[in-house]
Structure formats: C-alpha cells, structure tokens
C-alpha cells in the first residue's frame, strides 16, 4: 500500500484540505491569502499533539516546507506576510537543520500575538533557540533587546503553566534573572526559589550569588523571613542578615530567626527600642540555653542514662573465638574507648568512664592518648559553660603536662558555639598561648 492508502478517511480529508490551502497560497490572487493562512493556523493550533508524535497538520505540511520558504521570500511586505511568517515559524520545528534557528527567525518577522497559542512544545523550542542565538558574537543590541522582550513573553507563559524551571533556565541563559521577580506570584514563588537554590552548587561564580540574591528577594517579597535569612547567611553578607532580621515584626518568627543565627554561630547586637525582646533574642543567638534545651529533650526522650563504649561495640555478638585473655588493656583500645565514650555521651553531662574514676582511666593511656582522654571530657560537658568548667578545672592542676593540655582543649570544646559575656575560655587559655612547653601552646 502507498502511504496515502494507509491513511484513515479523516486523515486523508485533512491532508487534501491542507494541500488545497498550499495550492491557494501559490496562486496570484492575494485576496485568498488571509483566509487560507487563518484556516491553516487554526488547523495547526487545534490539532492534538503528544510528546511522542508530531501533530498531523505539521506532518502533512512538512514536505511543502521548502516551497513555503521560497514563496515567503516573493511575497510583498504586509499583514499577510507576517501571518505567513507565524505559520512558517511553527512549521520550522519539523526542520531537521536546527542550526538555521528558523523557528526564532520567522517568529521575529511575524505578527507576534500570544506565543502560547501554538502550544507548549513551540514555546520550549523558541526558548532553546533564544539561548543559542543571544550569546553569539554577531548579535547586535537591537536584536538582543528584541530577544529579551520575547523571553519575557515566554517567562510569563511558563509561570502560568507550571514550567517555572524552564523560565528560570531561560533567564539564566540570557543573564536577565533580575526580571524574574515581576512574573512570580504567591502561587509559584516556592517552586521558583527551590529551583534557584538547588542550582547554586552547579553554577560558577558570580552566578551562584545572583541565584541566591534572586531567591532572597522573592522570599523577602512574600515575607518568608526564615528562608530569606538562610539565603543571606549562605551569601555570607551580614548587612543582609541584619536587614532581614530588622524587617521581621512577628515576635515568634524573630525567635526562629535567632535560633537559625545561633545554629550558624552568628550574633547581632539588637536595639531594645526596636526589639522589645532584644535581651531574650540575643540570649538565643548566644546559645546560652543550648545545653539546657538539649538535656530537656534528652529527658523527654528518656535517653539520659550514660552509655559505655561496649554498648556501641557489642563485641559479645561477634562469632570470633578469642585467643588468650579478653580483658587485656592496650593504649590503642583505651584511646578508642575515650573517643567513643566522648561522642556517645556528647553534651549529656555524664558518663561512666571519667565521672566515676577519671584519674584511674586517664593513667591507662599514654602521652597523647592521655591528652585525648582528658579532652573528651569537653565533649561530655559540651555547651555547659558554668558547670562544665568547674569539673574540668581540677585537671588544670595536674602534675602531668598531657593531662593539663587535654584539660585546656576540653575548656575550648565546652565553650564552642556558645557566646558568653565573660568568655571564660579566653580568660583561661590566654595564659597558655606563650607557655614554655610546646604541648601547652594553643
């Protein structure tokens, strides 16, 4: 069978109708052009399409593509030629030679109109050609401005058709991300910002900062201050951090912002006239209640019971038959146990190795192992500045230098992440900065 014989009656009628319109466009009677082009355009727009097949009007018109281009060049300037350019622009999508960028070329020469009338695939095709064409060396200012104007039409269409990511990609490609804000509304800003932030690790500088600033401005516009603050922190711009915090008027959200800054160990001096809860907010940012909050949560979860390294090792489950005695101490095993003990009881304020028989356990280690074991006390008492330093203080008077070194390190660990007006760690450690012993120097 010939290809025509395989067509259904409906398809055959469509093909014959399209070929009749092609014949009319070849005739000299210009009065037929407008009606013919309008009917042809309506047929293309109303044709059902899918991701896996070309719409049938385009499929049947594809053999006439070269003829259409030759006819177009012979037509005089006017409204009919512009309408013809619009039809050619859509038909150019079926052209395998994408280097010509004919779809974009004829779109620029056409009558314009709503770009979405020709379907989503057409809009996507135009976007790709704009990205390739706008950065070419021979693109002049006038052409670039026209392409930017067309891009704005596409972005407006994308924002209302759940294709925000394609709009962002296009604006990043033409380096006009600053216009995005005018097209984003409350229904889509979350998806837009999420996409922009997810792109940050994959773009070079300074484009990554432009993405973050755009996301920050959008969050700022819709008063989502916690996420705006996150962007400001990521930009490492303290002026922006201060601006976001100052413009937030909700006391509950202000506390949330303070906790975010405390987590990042950033501190702002707040004016009591502007912030009625300034003292409480600065305490949150200072992390002075971090240890109390952590232990309250631990009590709530009933996990305050100190653990021993064996709870982690679970060596009794191993199916290995030991040779010789199993309770032999070794410096390496004890050092490992010190680290495990520190991490498994981190910030709980209590343990079963150092709290019960601290000196005995420390002397089971050697030199740097002894220092590490003492320093692990800082992990156990993490963030407890007031109570923790009192427990560490006795080790600062040890006759063993390695224990004193570990105690100094423990002082620093206990104070890490906590801002204190007295700064006891600085007071304790500054005396040892120029100590005669190299091990003591910080």
């Amino acid at each position: 069978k010939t290809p025509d014989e395989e067509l259904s009656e409906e398809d055959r009628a469509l093909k014959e109708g399209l070929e009749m319109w092609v014949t009319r466009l070849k005739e000299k009677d210009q009065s037929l052009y407008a009606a013919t082009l309008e009917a042809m355009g309506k047929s293309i727009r109303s044709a059902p399409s899918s991701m896996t097949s070309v719409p049938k009007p385009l499929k049947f018109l594809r053999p006439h593509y070269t003829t259409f281009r030759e006819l177009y060049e012979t037509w005089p300037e006017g409204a009919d030629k512009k309408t013809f350019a619009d039809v050619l622009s859509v038909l150019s999508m079926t052209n395998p030679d994408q280097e010509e960028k004919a779809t974009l070329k004829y779109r620029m020469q056409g009558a314009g109109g709503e770009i979405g009338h020709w379907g989503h695939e057409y809009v996507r095709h135009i976007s790709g050609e704009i990205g390739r064409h706008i950065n070419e060396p021979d693109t002049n200012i006038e052409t670039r401005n026209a392409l930017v104007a067309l891009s704005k039409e596409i972005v407006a269409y994308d924002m209302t058709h759940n294709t925000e990511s394609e709009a962002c990609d296009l604006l990043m490609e033409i380096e006009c991300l600053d216009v995005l804000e005018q097209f984003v509304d409350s229904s889509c800003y979350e998806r837009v910002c999420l996409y922009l932030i997810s792109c940050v690790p994959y773009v070079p500088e300074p484009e990554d900062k432009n993405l973050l600033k755009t996301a920050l401005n959008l969050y700022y516009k819709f008063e989502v201050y916690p996420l705006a603050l996150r962007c400001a922190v990521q930009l490492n711009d303290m002026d922006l951090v201060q601006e976001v915090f100052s413009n937030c008027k909700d006391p509950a959200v202000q506390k949330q912002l303070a906790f975010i800054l405390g987590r990042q160990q950033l501190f702002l001096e707040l004016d009591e006239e502007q912030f009625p809860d300034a003292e409480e907010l600065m305490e949150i940012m200072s992390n002075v209640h971090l240890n109390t909050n952590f232990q309250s949560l631990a009590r709530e979860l009933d996990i305050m019971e100190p653990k021993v390294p064996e709870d982690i090792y679970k060596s009794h489950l191993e199916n290995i038959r030991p040779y010789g005695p199993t309770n032999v101490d070794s410096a390496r095993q004890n050092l490992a146990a010190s680290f495990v003990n520190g991490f498994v009881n981190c910030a709980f304020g209590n343990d079963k190795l150092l709290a019960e028989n601290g000196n005995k356990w420390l002397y089971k280690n050697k030199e740097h192992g002894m220092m590490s074991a003492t320093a692990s006390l800082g992990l156990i008492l993490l963030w407890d500045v007031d109570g923790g330093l009192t427990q560490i203080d006795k080790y600062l008077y040890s006759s063993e230098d390695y224990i004193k070194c570990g105690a100094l390190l423990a002082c620093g660990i206990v104070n890490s992440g906590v801002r204190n007006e007295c700064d006891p760690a600085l007071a304790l450690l500054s005396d040892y900065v120029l100590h005669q012993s190299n091990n003591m120097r910080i």
Side-chain angles (χ1 to χ4, degrees):
K1 290 183 178 181
T2 64
D4 284 353
E5 292 175 338
E6 292 178 355
L7 296 174
S8 65
E9 289 186 13
E10 184 181 351
D11 290 349
R12 190 180 297 113
L14 175 62
K15 184 176 182 182
E16 289 173 357
L18 290 169
E19 288 179 344
M20 180 188 69
W21 291 334
V22 173
T23 305
R24 285 184 181 177
L25 292 178
K26 291 179 181 179
E27 294 176 0
K28 299 295 184 182
D29 188 0
Q30 296 184 7
S31 62
L32 301 173
Y33 293 169
T36 303
L37 289 170
E38 185 178 348
M40 192 179 291
K42 185 177 180 181
S43 175
I44 294 172
R45 285 194 295 269
S46 60
S49 62
S50 68
M51 294 180 66
T52 57
S53 63
V54 178
K56 287 179 180 177
L58 294 182
K59 180 180 177 182
F60 296 145
L61 287 172
R62 183 160 50 184
H64 303 286
Y65 176 67
T66 306
T67 305
F68 276 4
R69 294 187 64 175
E70 293 170 354
L71 276 174
Y72 177 79
E73 297 300 329
T74 63
W75 281 24
E77 295 296 330
D80 289 345
K81 187 169 184 177
K82 288 187 175 182
T83 307
F84 196 6
D86 288 337
V87 174
L88 259 177
S89 178
V90 181
L91 190 55
S92 297
M93 287 196 297
T94 63
N95 177 28
D97 186 9
Q98 296 298 331
E99 292 302 317
E100 288 188 44
K101 293 183 277 293
T103 305
L104 179 60
K105 170 188 168 184
Y106 290 118
R107 171 70 191 184
M108 301 290 285
Q109 295 175 2
E114 180 61 49
I115 195 168
H117 286 168
W118 300 105
H120 181 68
E121 197 57 41
Y122 175 74
V123 176
R124 181 179 291 176
H125 201 90
I126 288 283
S127 298
E129 292 197 356
I130 289 175
R132 289 193 295 273
H133 184 58
I134 201 167
N135 294 319
E136 290 180 350
D138 57 346
T139 305
N140 56 42
I141 297 297
E142 186 178 346
T143 304
R144 180 179 174 82
N145 291 339
L147 292 175
V148 170
L150 181 57
S151 298
K152 290 180 180 179
E153 291 182 42
I154 294 172
V155 170
Y157 172 85
D158 285 339
M159 288 297 171
T160 55
H161 290 78
N162 297 321
T163 50
E164 297 88 354
S165 58
E166 293 179 14
C168 295
D169 287 338
L170 177 59
L171 291 178
M172 282 189 271
E173 191 70 32
I174 66 174
E175 299 178 356
C176 289
L177 206 56
D178 53 319
V179 305
L180 181 62
E181 190 174 335
Q182 59 187 300
F183 298 104
V184 178
D185 58 22
S186 58
S187 65
C188 64
Y189 79 90
E190 291 181 347
R191 292 190 296 273
V192 171
C193 292
L194 185 63
Y195 183 74
L196 292 174
I197 293 171
S198 65
C199 288
V200 169
Y202 305 104
V203 297
E205 294 182 355
E207 205 172 325
D208 55 346
K209 289 187 176 181
N210 291 336
L211 295 181
L212 283 171
K213 285 178 180 176
T214 305
L216 186 148
N217 291 335
L218 289 172
Y219 283 135
Y220 207 64
K221 176 181 177 181
F222 295 100
E223 299 183 357
V224 188
Y225 294 110
L227 296 176
L229 183 69
R230 181 183 170 192
C231 293
V233 170
Q234 205 168 343
L235 284 164
N236 196 24
D237 188 333
M238 288 305 296
D239 292 334
L240 275 176
V241 170
Q242 181 77 55
E243 184 182 341
V244 172
F245 200 100
S246 299
N247 281 279
C248 177
K249 305 304 179 186
D250 187 336
V253 178
Q254 285 177 355
K255 290 179 182 178
Q256 185 180 358
L257 299 183
F259 276 114
I260 292 172
L261 292 178
R263 180 68 180 85
Q264 300 298 326
Q265 298 183 22
L266 298 174
F267 185 81
L268 299 176
E269 291 286 350
L270 302 180
D271 185 3
E272 292 186 2
E273 294 182 1
Q274 185 178 1
F275 298 94
D277 300 328
E279 186 176 349
E280 183 182 0
L281 292 172
M282 287 192 287
E283 282 185 356
I284 293 172
M285 284 186 274
S286 300
N287 288 326
V288 293
H289 301 303
L290 197 55
N291 180 259
T292 307
N293 294 340
F294 179 83
Q295 294 196 4
S296 297
L297 175 62
R299 275 189 287 272
E300 189 76 23
L301 299 175
D302 195 22
I303 53 173
M304 284 294 290
E305 180 67 27
K307 301 175 184 64
V308 293
E310 182 57 34
D311 295 336
I312 307 300
Y313 298 156
K314 293 183 171 53
S315 55
H316 62 280
L317 299 177
E318 294 180 3
N319 294 322
I320 301 173
R321 186 175 180 179
Y323 295 95
T326 58
N327 58 351
V328 177
D329 282 339
S330 76
R332 182 174 294 182
Q333 286 178 342
N334 291 340
L335 177 60
S338 296
F339 278 109
V340 172
N341 182 63
F343 283 118
V344 78
N345 294 299
C346 184
F348 285 96
N350 197 10
D351 75 314
K352 290 185 177 179
L353 284 186
L354 292 167
E356 295 176 2
N357 51 1
N359 284 328
K360 182 180 177 182
W361 176 257
L362 294 180
Y363 283 100
K364 286 184 178 181
N365 295 273
K366 296 178 181 178
E367 298 182 348
H368 290 92
M370 195 178 287
M371 181 169 68
S372 298
T374 312
S376 69
L377 190 60
L379 275 176
I380 297 165
L381 301 169
L382 186 66
W383 305 320
D384 185 8
V385 177
D386 297 327
L389 294 179
T390 305
Q391 296 185 48
I392 295 170
D393 184 62
K394 60 184 178 181
Y395 295 105
L396 291 171
Y397 303 102
S398 171
S399 58
E400 183 63 55
D401 279 357
Y402 285 105
I403 293 179
K404 291 175 75 174
C405 291
L408 293 170
L409 188 55
C411 289
I413 293 173
V414 166
N415 282 267
S416 64
V418 179
R419 185 184 178 92
N420 192 299
E421 289 182 4
C422 303
D423 206 347
L426 179 63
L428 280 169
L429 301 178
S430 57
D431 295 337
Y432 295 89
V433 174
L434 300 176
H435 197 277
Q436 59 183 1
S437 169
N438 288 333
N439 291 330
M440 291 282 191
R441 292 182 182 175
I442 306 302

